[in-house]
Amino acid sequence: MEIYFLGTNAGVPTLQRNVTSVALRLLEERRSFWMFDCGEGTQHQVLRSPLRLGKLEKLFITHLHGDHLFGLPGLLSSRGYQGGTGPLTVYGPLGLKAYLDISLSVSQSRIPYPLEIVEHSGGLIFEDDGFKVEAGLLEHRIDSYGYRVTEKDSPGNLNKELLLSYGLKPGPLYGLLKKGQDVTTGEGVLIRAAEVVNAPKRGRIVTVLGDTRPCQGTLPLALDADLIIHEATFGHDLKEMAHQYHHSTARQAAELARDAGGRELLLTHFSSRYTTQEELLPLLAEAQEIFPQTLLAEEFCTFPVYRRTQGNDPGK
């Protein structure tokens, strides 16, 4: 599981950074990726990345401001030309369907794959055997949502050395044991699953927050997350401006990560006043004073999502 940034700027694209879009790559789990937000020019960013639109399975829009949305019609249209034949589901706030219906219909865009648009007002919006996704309302000028992606726990590994000592070689009974079922060998030896299966692997939690002021809605989404992606439009010296425009500072993002017991924080959605990565270093420093496990998002860079093992302290 990896995070890959396609755009990290707020408001408008610059020569250095494109507007917001981030991919969650589910490599072993699903051999696909999910996308969060799709600002103008995102499909151009995809062409410069290792991502392939044909592997895009789900797309989540945090809110309907242009820097998070204007790239969506073009990307949906191009997906069919780039080998995308499988179904795609797009989730977002009320108004998303009207926007896409008009954009695609007026431009007579052809979508040659099953496209589902799901409008929501928060809560559990997706669940299958491997993952669930919950959304929560934040505080912005328009309805803006954060998303909490929870990977479900997976069965622990078999203690193969112990099984071999019982005379049980790899085969169908291994599968039954991993499912938690006790088995009996051909020699009549009872093997209890609880004795030969290690503890389950804790699923990872990734929280992606849309544009927001500090608010009560962020904490439930970020609680105990392995990775929190949070906007840091301004440095804390501009906290009044951040409040006025319904955004957050880097320090405020770090305070949330600390209070939520998060493991790692990635800052993104930077104001155009910070033109280079070096100019963002003061934002990183102020965040790390509060929450040391903080990194700056950078386009075309991969950030692994590490699994917190049993007994890990938050932030370790």
Side-chain angles (χ1 to χ4, degrees):
M1 188 186 289
E2 299 173 343
I3 291 292
Y4 189 89
F5 284 93
L6 294 163
T8 60
N9 211 58
V12 295
T14 69
L15 291 175
Q16 294 78 27
R17 298 191 298 266
N18 200 49
V19 282
T20 300
S21 183
V22 58
L24 173 61
R25 303 176 71 187
L26 306 169
L27 302 177
E28 295 181 3
E29 294 85 352
R30 306 172 82 94
R31 298 187 181 277
S32 65
F33 75 97
W34 295 355
M35 185 180 290
F36 296 83
D37 287 331
C38 188
E40 179 184 355
T42 294
Q43 64 172 309
H44 292 274
Q45 301 289 88
V46 170
L47 292 174
R48 299 170 58 193
S49 80
L51 304 173
R52 297 293 176 264
L53 285 181
K55 298 293 186 180
L56 176 60
E57 181 184 32
K58 294 185 179 298
L59 203 159
F60 302 87
I61 299 296
T62 61
H63 64 293
L64 303 185
H65 277 157
D67 58 328
H68 297 253
L69 181 70
F70 283 167
L72 186 52
L75 182 140
L76 294 180
S77 180
S78 295
R79 182 176 183 264
Y81 291 103
Q82 297 181 27
T85 58
L88 172 64
T89 306
V90 183
Y91 303 82
L94 182 66
L96 175 65
K97 188 175 189 306
Y99 171 76
L100 287 177
D101 284 348
I102 292 172
S103 299
L104 297 175
S105 122
V106 169
S107 62
Q108 299 186 24
S109 298
R110 178 176 172 270
I111 305 297
Y113 53 84
L115 174 63
E116 182 181 9
I117 302 167
V118 177
E119 294 183 328
H120 67 80
S121 55
L124 180 65
I125 61 173
F126 169 75
E127 185 170 17
D128 66 6
D129 292 340
F131 292 87
K132 69 176 181 179
V133 182
E134 299 161 283
L137 185 64
L138 308 176
E139 187 176 321
H140 195 48
R141 289 193 295 115
I142 62 174
D143 284 354
S144 179
Y145 289 88
Y147 294 100
R148 178 183 175 92
V149 179
T150 302
E151 177 189 32
K152 296 186 177 179
D153 294 348
S154 57
N157 294 325
L158 293 174
N159 187 331
K160 295 182 179 178
E161 292 183 2
L162 182 57
L163 288 171
L164 290 174
S165 73
Y166 288 143
L168 186 63
K169 297 181 179 179
L173 294 183
Y174 273 39
L176 295 177
L177 286 166
K178 195 158 187 178
K179 292 178 181 178
Q181 299 180 31
D182 299 339
V183 302
T184 302
T185 68
E187 290 73 27
V189 178
L190 174 65
I191 301 178
R192 300 189 183 279
E195 298 175 354
V196 297
V197 180
N198 297 321
K201 294 180 180 178
R202 176 190 180 276
R204 287 160 287 189
I205 300 172
V206 176
T207 298
V208 183
L209 299 172
D211 291 4
T212 186
R213 287 173 176 167
C215 67
Q216 292 182 347
T218 56
L219 188 60
L221 294 169
L223 194 63
D224 294 329
D226 296 283
L227 181 64
I228 301 167
I229 300 174
H230 197 301
E231 68 134 293
T233 309
F234 300 104
H236 207 65
D237 58 318
L238 298 174
K239 63 180 179 180
E240 297 302 327
M241 181 180 291
H243 182 81
Q244 177 183 355
Y245 289 102
H246 296 80
H247 285 295
S248 297
T249 68
R251 180 187 179 94
Q252 290 166 341
E255 289 171 343
L256 167 70
R258 177 199 62 197
D259 295 346
R263 186 182 189 279
E264 192 170 28
L265 171 66
L266 277 172
L267 302 178
T268 188
H269 197 268
F270 307 117
S271 165
S272 299
R273 69 182 58 240
Y274 311 108
T275 57
T276 67
Q277 203 73 2
E278 288 71 25
E279 291 179 8
L280 292 171
L281 293 180
L283 277 68
L284 177 63
E286 74 178 41
Q288 288 181 335
E289 287 182 5
I290 305 295
F291 190 77
Q293 294 76 33
T294 302
L295 297 171
L296 294 173
E298 190 169 354
E299 291 170 27
F300 308 117
C301 285
T302 297
F303 296 84
V305 182
Y306 294 107
R307 188 187 306 274
R308 184 184 304 182
T309 58
Q310 296 291 337
N312 280 165
D313 292 329
K316 295 290 183 67

